[in-house]
Amino acid sequence: MTTTPAVAWIGLGAIGAPMARALAGAGLPVTTYDLFPAAREAIAEVAATTETAREAARGADVVAVMVATPDQLDAVLFGEEDGIAGELADGTILLIMSTVGPAALDATATRLAGTGVRIVDAPVSGGAARAADGDLLVMVGGAESDVADARPVLDALASNAPVVGPKPGDGQRFKIVNQLLCGVHIAAAGEALALADAMGLDLRQVHEVLGTGAAASFMFGDRGARMVEGAYDDVRSALTIFVKDMGLVAEAAEEVDQQVPLAIAAQQLYQRGSELGWDRRDDSIVHEVLREG
Amino acid sequence: MTTTPAVAWIGLGAIGAPMARALAGAGLPVTTYDLFPAAREAIAEVAATTETAREAARGADVVAVMVATPDQLDAVLFGEEDGIAGELADGTILLIMSTVGPAALDATATRLAGTGVRIVDAPVSGGAARAADGDLLVMVGGAESDVADARPVLDALASNAPVVGPKPGDGQRFKIVNQLLCGVHIAAAGEALALADAMGLDLRQVHEVLGTGAAASFMFGDRGARMVEGAYDDVRSALTIFVKDMGLVAEAAEEVDQQVPLAIAAQQLYQRGSELGWDRRDDSIVHEVLREG
């Protein structure tokens, strides 16, 4: 493989778009596709776009997929109309950057067995702002030589992209642990501030004083600030993502017979927020779920 | 009151002893008492000690109590043999630094009503090492003039001692929120690392990589390191403290009719650890509770 691989990029959502821009900004030849024409138009100034996923994938050295759900990954790869699997030549790197869980990686690997397609599992953490700066954390699972061939893409996107295991699925497993902590910490922040409010404390002072000591978490600092303001329509990360990801946590835990009672309690709160119609609002709105009583 | 109050110090446990030493080191005249003779002997070099709590309290301007539980607070104040309540003159500051919950503060205030004793509610966070350095966080609830008269003591113990409310109990309420976050974060760290282990990931790498990003918490960094090492007999904070404190969280939440599902899930894990006989081991052992299955 050349040292500057031709990249196909599938998925231009809230994180995918800034990632594709960061790749283009780093000088990599990138051809993009998204289901929504508006997303394609928005990036056309800095990267090539195509009308179908198959066109984007055709002839690429690295095909990166950054869609939202396991079902979307399956459709991108194996969809009847526009599935790209048939375009992936022997030796192509399929770089799965979505958070879809280890089961989806296993299923994908099984369906692509014998094709010579090399899967590198590489889910990310860090949000849109860090994505735009090429400053993500990427958790990489894959064979050494496959990861080496994906490295120019990983380096353009991440400030830290450790290999966390030798096989596709290990990146997802690592990301699952990350999401367990993040999802529980956001819910804990919501719960702590709901209790503080119910007890008549000053929420700004609670957030300020407890934000630096033994009670501190990244999420208490970040999401807690939005909870104090009630800024749920300043959407940095939509509630629906944790509805999905805590489901993936629960599924992965069940798979290995591991109890995860805090994650389950948090999952129920996100699920309840979804039932209240808050899927597209900032995930900090889990605080309001707890105040609903 | 003089600007250098005479201090009585009741309770020389894991945090109380270094606090009393910090007070003495700051030049405040302090007379100490603890139920255990060994604890009194250990501090005799730097502070006066007495054979009974009443003797220690007699004539003090500020009587600070740092015992472990609501029952112990009640015994110190109102015990038949050695209760100090009768020694507290009109105008004495009773500085309650234990974490005993708002209900215990209310009960104490009710029993001391009409005596002229001025209660300042001042639970702490930070652990033994910071206690020794006079670097604690103290969460203060009380009337302005009472807090002002306690200030020399607070300043000797704390790098930060904000007034979080105008009445005794407000400090406890603030501390309850702190403990909710701390207790949930420790349990979340235990759960995340248990799942990581069950999925075959490298725990050292999980702890290192996730300790700095969106999944980070003070407790994941601190207690997570001990979970990775299995260092449960290097006791920084005994499990029994969170058995008690998550009980206080649950009680305070019920009092104001606030749901706290994550705190309840965490409480059950600490309780289970207690049933396994681990009360005196480091609280990071909650990780092993989750591995027990």
Side-chain angles (χ1 to χ4, degrees):
Chain A
M1 184 172 288
T2 59
T3 52
T4 306
V7 182
W9 187 274
I10 315 289
L12 297 165
I15 307 289
M19 288 172 75
R21 285 174 180 274
L23 270 190
L28 288 167
V30 54
T31 303
T32 64
Y33 172 76
D34 190 277
L35 194 63
F36 292 101
R40 304 198 297 262
E41 282 159 28
I43 205 167
E45 210 177 295
V46 298
T49 64
T50 60
E51 297 288 313
T52 67
R54 296 178 69 135
E55 282 175 77
R58 197 168 295 149
D61 299 310
V62 175
V63 176
V65 182
M66 189 56 176
V67 292
T69 68
D71 283 351
Q72 289 176 16
L73 173 65
D74 196 70
V76 161
L77 289 169
F78 308 112
E80 258 182 55
E81 292 286 310
D82 193 30
I84 64 173
E87 305 289 345
L88 305 178
D90 190 349
T92 305
I93 300 280
L94 176 61
L95 186 63
I96 300 179
M97 309 203 76
S98 306
T99 298
V100 291
L105 264 282
D106 288 348
T108 302
T110 300
R111 286 196 65 170
L112 291 175
T115 63
V117 172
R118 301 182 292 156
I119 298 175
V120 174
D121 173 23
V124 312
S125 174
R130 287 177 60 190
D133 292 340
D135 184 32
L136 292 170
L137 165 64
V138 183
M139 292 152 271
V140 185
E144 200 173 329
S145 61
D146 299 346
V147 174
D149 285 342
R151 189 55 73 182
V153 177
L154 298 172
D155 285 349
L157 297 171
S159 54
N160 188 20
V163 177
V164 300
K167 59 184 185 298
D170 288 336
Q172 297 294 328
R173 290 181 186 92
F174 213 93
K175 178 74 190 287
I176 287 291
V177 177
N178 184 77
Q179 293 309 84
L180 185 158
L181 287 164
C182 290
V184 168
H185 290 169
I186 295 170
E191 185 170 305
L193 291 170
L195 178 57
D197 195 39
M199 292 192 300
L201 298 173
D202 178 325
L203 291 197
R204 277 190 176 71
Q205 191 183 25
V206 169
H207 186 251
E208 185 190 323
V209 172
L210 300 186
T212 56
S217 72
F218 173 86
M219 288 301 182
F220 184 71
D222 186 77
R223 304 304 207 273
R226 269 172 271 164
M227 294 173 191
V228 170
E229 301 296 336
Y232 308 123
D233 295 314
D234 170 20
V235 182
R236 314 282 179 91
S237 186
L239 184 79
T240 190
I241 293 173
F242 273 107
V243 175
K244 165 181 72 90
D245 286 1
M246 296 313 275
L248 294 174
V249 169
E251 190 183 306
E254 199 177 338
E255 180 73 24
V256 295
D257 200 21
Q258 173 62 52
Q259 54 172 332
V260 286
L262 276 72
I264 298 296
Q267 182 191 18
Q268 289 169 352
L269 296 173
Y270 294 112
Q271 187 56 45
R272 176 104 170 277
S274 177
E275 287 157 13
L276 287 163
W278 297 342
D279 268 334
R280 294 284 148 204
R281 304 184 77 186
D282 193 75
D283 57 23
S284 56
I285 203 166
V286 73
H287 174 54
E288 297 300 325
V289 173
L290 283 147
R291 286 157 56 101
E292 287 273 317
Chain B
M1 187 173 284
T2 58
T3 53
T4 306
V7 182
W9 188 275
I10 314 288
L12 297 166
I15 308 286
M19 289 173 75
R21 285 173 181 277
L23 269 191
L28 288 167
V30 52
T31 303
T32 65
Y33 172 77
D34 189 277
L35 195 63
F36 292 101
R40 303 199 296 263
E41 282 159 27
I43 205 168
E45 210 177 295
V46 298
T49 65
T50 60
E51 296 288 312
T52 68
R54 296 179 67 134
E55 282 174 78
R58 196 168 297 149
D61 299 310
V62 175
V63 175
V65 182
M66 190 56 177
V67 293
T69 67
D71 283 352
Q72 290 176 15
L73 173 65
D74 196 69
V76 162
L77 288 169
F78 308 112
E80 257 182 55
E81 293 286 310
D82 193 30
I84 65 173
E87 305 289 343
L88 305 178
D90 189 349
T92 305
I93 300 279
L94 176 62
L95 186 64
I96 300 179
M97 308 203 77
S98 305
T99 297
V100 290
L105 264 281
D106 288 348
T108 302
T110 300
R111 287 196 65 171
L112 292 175
T115 64
V117 172
R118 301 182 291 156
I119 298 175
V120 174
D121 174 23
V124 312
S125 175
R130 287 177 60 190
D133 292 340
D135 185 33
L136 292 170
L137 165 64
V138 183
M139 293 152 270
V140 185
E144 200 173 329
S145 61
D146 299 347
V147 174
D149 286 342
R151 189 54 74 182
V153 177
L154 298 173
D155 285 349
L157 297 171
S159 53
N160 188 20
V163 176
V164 299
K167 58 183 184 299
D170 288 336
Q172 297 293 329
R173 291 181 186 91
F174 213 93
K175 177 74 191 285
I176 287 291
V177 178
N178 184 78
Q179 293 309 85
L180 185 159
L181 287 165
C182 291
V184 168
H185 290 169
I186 295 170
E191 185 170 304
L193 290 170
L195 178 57
D197 194 40
M199 293 193 300
L201 299 174
D202 177 325
L203 291 198
R204 275 190 177 71
Q205 191 183 26
V206 168
H207 186 250
E208 184 190 323
V209 171
L210 301 187
T212 56
S217 72
F218 173 86
M219 287 302 182
F220 184 71
D222 186 77
R223 302 305 206 274
R226 270 172 270 165
M227 294 173 191
V228 170
E229 302 296 335
Y232 307 122
D233 294 315
D234 171 19
V235 182
R236 313 283 179 90
S237 186
L239 184 80
T240 189
I241 293 173
F242 272 107
V243 176
K244 165 182 73 90
D245 285 1
M246 296 313 274
L248 293 174
V249 169
E251 190 183 306
E254 199 176 336
E255 180 74 24
V256 295
D257 200 22
Q258 174 61 53
Q259 53 171 331
V260 287
L262 276 72
I264 299 297
Q267 182 191 17
Q268 289 169 352
L269 296 173
Y270 294 113
Q271 186 57 46
R272 177 105 168 275
S274 177
E275 287 157 13
L276 287 164
W278 297 343
D279 268 332
R280 294 285 148 204
R281 303 183 76 186
D282 193 73
D283 58 23
S284 56
I285 203 168
V286 73
H287 174 55
E288 298 299 325
V289 172
L290 284 147
R291 287 157 55 102
E292 286 273 318

